[in-house]
Amino acid sequence: MSQRNTIRVSELAITISLFEVGSTTLFFIGGGAKQDAWLAMLVGALAGLFLLLMHLSIHHQEPALDLFLLFRSYMGKYVGTFVNLLFVGYFSYESSRNLRDFGEITVMTLLNRTSLWIIMLIVILVVSNSVRYGHRVLFLMCVIFLPVMLVSYVLISILIPVTGLFHFEFMFPVLESGWKPVLNAAIPEIVSFPFGQTVLFLVFYPYARTGKKLNKAVIISYIITALSLTFINQLNIFVLGPKIALYSTLPLLETVQLIDLAEVFERMDALFTMLLFLGLGVKMGAFFNGAIIGLEKITGIVYKKWVLPVALLIYAMSFLSPNYTHHIVTGRQLVLNYLFPVFQIVLPLLLFITILIRKRKKRTNRSSPEKT
């Protein structure tokens, strides 16, 4: 592996954090739990943490192999290649959903007279241009974006209470209907989005400079980000209340639009829209990179030659839904509950079990001649 392709552990941790934020703040997560959405988020984050620990364990079993090489090595040439192609499709579809979100938000907030296809074409061209330089660029961009996103979200979190928009009483009563709505909201929807999506980083872990710091940095980054997302998501409850937040198209944007402090801090929706664009760009670029790396590993054809075909595929898939409502319903009710868990839970778990069995057999075979 060339030195220029390696990434620092700190860069990996930052990218995981920004990737998790991604498009998460675009939606009100765990709305089915109403005012207990924060509990649903924490339950989903805890389940996601167990998945992350499994991903890290898989990586440490074979530190030199990424997601695609792992499946090829442990499941055979044909089955492994088939699963790899499925993951390429999954990463491309995830990227296409982010592209559609990007286009729809732009139309709704900034350029309502511009055609959706033009906006998404410009976005895919910009992202493709950064992707063709390799994953290293993505990680460096995240390091640059971190201060901007961190300061901006902290500012929003401070201004909402200061301007008197914060209503803590909207959070009560806690567990009004028991744990069932919380668990139903958390599993599998919140596990699938955003926490289970960290399966993508099995593609990138081998590029990180190895050492004991990897696990610690990744886990700390995940926990801090999960807690931050839980608080930011709960801001929708504190300002809008559970009913309005549940039926709002862009709840946090509506919340931010209410900020007006001494005629100085106003029109904060422009700042929040910029944050959404940065988050969507990071997530889209990460999945785009993952798909291209997979095709390079499957076919042996150099990385850059796949940028244009995958970009066209992502652009085409972004039009699968005829309108934004269909796009959201398909995402929240179908793919999050039935499709994504296959790639985030079932296949990684199957790989993990296969690795453990194969490793155990090898140890048994090595010890058998010594006993005889």
mmCIF file of all heavy atoms in Angstrom, residues 13-44:
data_model
loop_
_atom_site.group_PDB
_atom_site.id
_atom_site.type_symbol
_atom_site.label_atom_id
_atom_site.label_comp_id
_atom_site.label_asym_id
_atom_site.label_seq_id
_atom_site.Cartn_x
_atom_site.Cartn_y
_atom_site.Cartn_z
ATOM 1 N N ALA A 13 -11.190 9.013 12.335
ATOM 2 C CA ALA A 13 -12.183 9.316 13.372
ATOM 3 C C ALA A 13 -13.035 10.520 12.985
ATOM 4 O O ALA A 13 -14.257 10.521 13.174
ATOM 5 C CB ALA A 13 -11.473 9.568 14.703
ATOM 6 N N ILE A 14 -12.404 11.551 12.423
ATOM 7 C CA ILE A 14 -13.129 12.758 12.007
ATOM 8 C C ILE A 14 -14.103 12.435 10.881
ATOM 9 O O ILE A 14 -15.254 12.880 10.881
ATOM 10 C CB ILE A 14 -12.135 13.854 11.570
ATOM 11 C CG1 ILE A 14 -11.393 14.407 12.788
ATOM 12 C CG2 ILE A 14 -12.855 14.983 10.827
ATOM 13 C CD1 ILE A 14 -10.220 15.300 12.440
ATOM 14 N N THR A 15 -13.645 11.635 9.933
ATOM 15 C CA THR A 15 -14.507 11.280 8.798
ATOM 16 C C THR A 15 -15.706 10.454 9.242
ATOM 17 O O THR A 15 -16.824 10.656 8.752
ATOM 18 C CB THR A 15 -13.698 10.512 7.736
ATOM 19 O OG1 THR A 15 -12.568 11.292 7.348
ATOM 20 C CG2 THR A 15 -14.554 10.213 6.507
ATOM 21 N N ILE A 16 -15.484 9.526 10.171
ATOM 22 C CA ILE A 16 -16.603 8.743 10.707
ATOM 23 C C ILE A 16 -17.630 9.672 11.358
ATOM 24 O O ILE A 16 -18.841 9.509 11.177
ATOM 25 C CB ILE A 16 -16.101 7.688 11.709
ATOM 26 C CG1 ILE A 16 -15.376 6.558 10.966
ATOM 27 C CG2 ILE A 16 -17.249 7.114 12.545
ATOM 28 C CD1 ILE A 16 -14.751 5.523 11.872
ATOM 29 N N SER A 17 -17.146 10.659 12.094
ATOM 30 C CA SER A 17 -18.040 11.595 12.773
ATOM 31 C C SER A 17 -18.874 12.393 11.772
ATOM 32 O O SER A 17 -20.106 12.467 11.879
ATOM 33 C CB SER A 17 -17.217 12.548 13.651
ATOM 34 O OG SER A 17 -18.063 13.459 14.315
ATOM 35 N N LEU A 18 -18.215 12.980 10.767
ATOM 36 C CA LEU A 18 -18.935 13.780 9.782
ATOM 37 C C LEU A 18 -19.830 12.912 8.904
ATOM 38 O O LEU A 18 -20.907 13.343 8.480
ATOM 39 C CB LEU A 18 -17.940 14.564 8.913
ATOM 40 C CG LEU A 18 -17.619 15.977 9.392
ATOM 41 C CD1 LEU A 18 -17.043 15.967 10.790
ATOM 42 C CD2 LEU A 18 -16.652 16.664 8.432
ATOM 43 N N PHE A 19 -19.391 11.692 8.655
ATOM 44 C CA PHE A 19 -20.202 10.740 7.893
ATOM 45 C C PHE A 19 -21.484 10.408 8.650
ATOM 46 O O PHE A 19 -22.568 10.346 8.059
ATOM 47 C CB PHE A 19 -19.382 9.476 7.645
ATOM 48 C CG PHE A 19 -20.149 8.348 7.004
ATOM 49 C CD1 PHE A 19 -20.315 8.299 5.632
ATOM 50 C CD2 PHE A 19 -20.694 7.327 7.776
ATOM 51 C CE1 PHE A 19 -21.021 7.249 5.041
ATOM 52 C CE2 PHE A 19 -21.389 6.284 7.194
ATOM 53 C CZ PHE A 19 -21.552 6.248 5.825
ATOM 54 N N GLU A 20 -21.381 10.191 9.947
ATOM 55 C CA GLU A 20 -22.562 9.884 10.755
ATOM 56 C C GLU A 20 -23.531 11.068 10.800
ATOM 57 O O GLU A 20 -24.744 10.886 10.751
ATOM 58 C CB GLU A 20 -22.137 9.511 12.186
ATOM 59 C CG GLU A 20 -21.527 8.128 12.323
ATOM 60 C CD GLU A 20 -22.559 7.043 12.100
ATOM 61 O OE1 GLU A 20 -23.436 6.865 12.944
ATOM 62 O OE2 GLU A 20 -22.493 6.385 11.049
ATOM 63 N N VAL A 21 -22.978 12.277 10.901
ATOM 64 C CA VAL A 21 -23.847 13.469 10.898
ATOM 65 C C VAL A 21 -24.544 13.569 9.545
ATOM 66 O O VAL A 21 -25.764 13.651 9.465
ATOM 67 C CB VAL A 21 -23.029 14.750 11.174
ATOM 68 C CG1 VAL A 21 -23.903 15.988 10.983
ATOM 69 C CG2 VAL A 21 -22.464 14.717 12.592
ATOM 70 N N GLY A 22 -23.729 13.542 8.457
ATOM 71 C CA GLY A 22 -24.232 13.488 7.085
ATOM 72 C C GLY A 22 -25.583 14.146 6.880
ATOM 73 O O GLY A 22 -25.756 15.346 7.073
ATOM 74 N N SER A 23 -26.557 13.336 6.507
ATOM 75 C CA SER A 23 -27.917 13.822 6.264
ATOM 76 C C SER A 23 -28.846 13.563 7.452
ATOM 77 O O SER A 23 -30.059 13.775 7.337
ATOM 78 C CB SER A 23 -28.493 13.128 5.017
ATOM 79 O OG SER A 23 -28.475 11.713 5.189
ATOM 80 N N THR A 24 -28.285 13.120 8.576
ATOM 81 C CA THR A 24 -29.119 12.748 9.723
ATOM 82 C C THR A 24 -29.936 13.920 10.240
ATOM 83 O O THR A 24 -31.117 13.776 10.585
ATOM 84 C CB THR A 24 -28.245 12.183 10.865
ATOM 85 O OG1 THR A 24 -27.426 11.139 10.357
ATOM 86 C CG2 THR A 24 -29.106 11.637 11.993
ATOM 87 N N THR A 25 -29.325 15.116 10.287
ATOM 88 C CA THR A 25 -30.032 16.283 10.818
ATOM 89 C C THR A 25 -31.119 16.788 9.876
ATOM 90 O O THR A 25 -31.890 17.675 10.236
ATOM 91 C CB THR A 25 -29.032 17.420 11.111
ATOM 92 O OG1 THR A 25 -28.275 17.697 9.916
ATOM 93 C CG2 THR A 25 -28.072 17.015 12.213
ATOM 94 N N LEU A 26 -31.165 16.229 8.680
ATOM 95 C CA LEU A 26 -32.220 16.592 7.729
ATOM 96 C C LEU A 26 -33.588 16.104 8.199
ATOM 97 O O LEU A 26 -34.615 16.714 7.901
ATOM 98 C CB LEU A 26 -31.874 15.988 6.366
ATOM 99 C CG LEU A 26 -32.859 16.144 5.213
ATOM 100 C CD1 LEU A 26 -33.061 17.619 4.871
ATOM 101 C CD2 LEU A 26 -32.361 15.390 3.983
ATOM 102 N N PHE A 27 -33.601 15.014 8.957
ATOM 103 C CA PHE A 27 -34.851 14.363 9.347
ATOM 104 C C PHE A 27 -35.053 14.405 10.859
ATOM 105 O O PHE A 27 -34.120 14.643 11.624
ATOM 106 C CB PHE A 27 -34.838 12.898 8.887
ATOM 107 C CG PHE A 27 -34.489 12.712 7.446
ATOM 108 C CD1 PHE A 27 -33.213 12.311 7.066
ATOM 109 C CD2 PHE A 27 -35.427 12.947 6.450
ATOM 110 C CE1 PHE A 27 -32.877 12.148 5.741
ATOM 111 C CE2 PHE A 27 -35.103 12.785 5.116
ATOM 112 C CZ PHE A 27 -33.825 12.390 4.760
ATOM 113 N N PHE A 28 -36.298 14.153 11.252
ATOM 114 C CA PHE A 28 -36.599 13.916 12.671
ATOM 115 C C PHE A 28 -36.565 12.410 12.883
ATOM 116 O O PHE A 28 -37.463 11.687 12.446
ATOM 117 C CB PHE A 28 -37.951 14.511 13.037
ATOM 118 C CG PHE A 28 -38.389 14.208 14.442
ATOM 119 C CD1 PHE A 28 -37.507 14.317 15.499
ATOM 120 C CD2 PHE A 28 -39.700 13.816 14.710
ATOM 121 C CE1 PHE A 28 -37.895 14.032 16.798
ATOM 122 C CE2 PHE A 28 -40.108 13.535 16.005
ATOM 123 C CZ PHE A 28 -39.202 13.642 17.046
ATOM 124 N N ILE A 29 -35.514 11.949 13.536
ATOM 125 C CA ILE A 29 -35.290 10.516 13.703
ATOM 126 C C ILE A 29 -36.045 10.004 14.929
ATOM 127 O O ILE A 29 -36.029 10.634 15.989
ATOM 128 C CB ILE A 29 -33.784 10.200 13.861
ATOM 129 C CG1 ILE A 29 -32.978 10.858 12.730
ATOM 130 C CG2 ILE A 29 -33.551 8.700 13.889
ATOM 131 C CD1 ILE A 29 -33.278 10.347 11.365
ATOM 132 N N GLY A 30 -36.684 8.860 14.795
ATOM 133 C CA GLY A 30 -37.392 8.261 15.932
ATOM 134 C C GLY A 30 -38.703 8.935 16.253
ATOM 135 O O GLY A 30 -39.154 8.925 17.401
ATOM 136 N N GLY A 31 -39.337 9.517 15.221
ATOM 137 C CA GLY A 31 -40.584 10.246 15.458
ATOM 138 C C GLY A 31 -41.700 9.378 16.005
ATOM 139 O O GLY A 31 -42.598 9.867 16.694
ATOM 140 N N GLY A 32 -41.652 8.073 15.742
ATOM 141 C CA GLY A 32 -42.679 7.174 16.254
ATOM 142 C C GLY A 32 -42.698 7.088 17.766
ATOM 143 O O GLY A 32 -43.717 6.740 18.367
ATOM 144 N N ALA A 33 -41.568 7.424 18.387
ATOM 145 C CA ALA A 33 -41.490 7.414 19.858
ATOM 146 C C ALA A 33 -41.919 8.749 20.457
ATOM 147 O O ALA A 33 -41.882 8.920 21.678
ATOM 148 C CB ALA A 33 -40.060 7.078 20.300
ATOM 149 N N LYS A 34 -42.290 9.709 19.600
ATOM 150 C CA LYS A 34 -42.749 11.043 20.019
ATOM 151 C C LYS A 34 -41.707 11.735 20.892
ATOM 152 O O LYS A 34 -40.559 11.853 20.494
ATOM 153 C CB LYS A 34 -44.109 10.924 20.712
ATOM 154 C CG LYS A 34 -45.195 10.376 19.803
ATOM 155 C CD LYS A 34 -46.530 10.259 20.511
ATOM 156 C CE LYS A 34 -47.589 9.683 19.579
ATOM 157 N NZ LYS A 34 -48.885 9.512 20.254
ATOM 158 N N GLN A 35 -42.084 12.158 22.099
ATOM 159 C CA GLN A 35 -41.137 12.887 22.955
ATOM 160 C C GLN A 35 -40.004 12.017 23.465
ATOM 161 O O GLN A 35 -39.010 12.520 23.992
ATOM 162 C CB GLN A 35 -41.863 13.540 24.149
ATOM 163 C CG GLN A 35 -42.452 12.571 25.154
ATOM 164 C CD GLN A 35 -43.893 12.208 24.841
ATOM 165 O OE1 GLN A 35 -44.332 12.353 23.698
ATOM 166 N NE2 GLN A 35 -44.631 11.768 25.838
ATOM 167 N N ASP A 36 -40.139 10.703 23.306
ATOM 168 C CA ASP A 36 -39.073 9.785 23.726
ATOM 169 C C ASP A 36 -38.111 9.461 22.587
ATOM 170 O O ASP A 36 -37.390 8.457 22.626
ATOM 171 C CB ASP A 36 -39.683 8.475 24.242
ATOM 172 C CG ASP A 36 -40.470 8.670 25.530
ATOM 173 O OD1 ASP A 36 -40.031 9.486 26.372
ATOM 174 O OD2 ASP A 36 -41.521 8.019 25.684
ATOM 175 N N ALA A 37 -38.086 10.327 21.575
ATOM 176 C CA ALA A 37 -37.196 10.101 20.434
ATOM 177 C C ALA A 37 -35.737 10.010 20.883
ATOM 178 O O ALA A 37 -34.943 9.277 20.295
ATOM 179 C CB ALA A 37 -37.360 11.212 19.404
ATOM 180 N N TRP A 38 -35.388 10.741 21.939
ATOM 181 C CA TRP A 38 -34.006 10.701 22.435
ATOM 182 C C TRP A 38 -33.648 9.313 22.955
ATOM 183 O O TRP A 38 -32.512 8.841 22.771
ATOM 184 C CB TRP A 38 -33.796 11.756 23.517
ATOM 185 C CG TRP A 38 -34.593 11.538 24.784
ATOM 186 C CD1 TRP A 38 -35.903 11.850 24.987
ATOM 187 C CD2 TRP A 38 -34.115 10.963 25.998
ATOM 188 N NE1 TRP A 38 -36.291 11.497 26.263
ATOM 189 C CE2 TRP A 38 -35.206 10.963 26.906
ATOM 190 C CE3 TRP A 38 -32.897 10.470 26.414
ATOM 191 C CZ2 TRP A 38 -35.089 10.467 28.199
ATOM 192 C CZ3 TRP A 38 -32.769 9.989 27.711
ATOM 193 C CH2 TRP A 38 -33.871 9.983 28.586
ATOM 194 N N LEU A 39 -34.622 8.634 23.580
ATOM 195 C CA LEU A 39 -34.376 7.265 24.046
ATOM 196 C C LEU A 39 -34.232 6.314 22.863
ATOM 197 O O LEU A 39 -33.372 5.420 22.879
ATOM 198 C CB LEU A 39 -35.526 6.806 24.954
ATOM 199 C CG LEU A 39 -35.537 7.346 26.379
ATOM 200 C CD1 LEU A 39 -36.828 6.956 27.087
ATOM 201 C CD2 LEU A 39 -34.333 6.829 27.169
ATOM 202 N N ALA A 40 -35.060 6.507 21.845
ATOM 203 C CA ALA A 40 -34.959 5.674 20.643
ATOM 204 C C ALA A 40 -33.603 5.872 19.974
ATOM 205 O O ALA A 40 -32.979 4.908 19.506
ATOM 206 C CB ALA A 40 -36.083 6.012 19.674
ATOM 207 N N MET A 41 -33.131 7.116 19.936
ATOM 208 C CA MET A 41 -31.816 7.400 19.360
ATOM 209 C C MET A 41 -30.711 6.700 20.142
ATOM 210 O O MET A 41 -29.785 6.122 19.558
ATOM 211 C CB MET A 41 -31.562 8.902 19.342
ATOM 212 C CG MET A 41 -32.290 9.645 18.254
ATOM 213 S SD MET A 41 -31.570 9.388 16.609
ATOM 214 C CE MET A 41 -30.082 10.377 16.709
ATOM 215 N N LEU A 42 -30.804 6.726 21.468
ATOM 216 C CA LEU A 42 -29.784 6.091 22.298
ATOM 217 C C LEU A 42 -29.801 4.571 22.142
ATOM 218 O O LEU A 42 -28.741 3.929 22.095
ATOM 219 C CB LEU A 42 -29.981 6.472 23.771
ATOM 220 C CG LEU A 42 -29.691 7.936 24.134
ATOM 221 C CD1 LEU A 42 -29.987 8.188 25.603
ATOM 222 C CD2 LEU A 42 -28.246 8.302 23.809
ATOM 223 N N VAL A 43 -30.995 3.997 22.045
ATOM 224 C CA VAL A 43 -31.104 2.546 21.825
ATOM 225 C C VAL A 43 -30.500 2.176 20.473
ATOM 226 O O VAL A 43 -29.737 1.212 20.351
ATOM 227 C CB VAL A 43 -32.575 2.083 21.906
ATOM 228 C CG1 VAL A 43 -32.709 0.627 21.468
ATOM 229 C CG2 VAL A 43 -33.102 2.232 23.338
ATOM 230 N N GLY A 44 -30.840 2.953 19.441
ATOM 231 C CA GLY A 44 -30.286 2.707 18.113
ATOM 232 C C GLY A 44 -28.775 2.871 18.083
ATOM 233 O O GLY A 44 -28.065 2.089 17.436
#
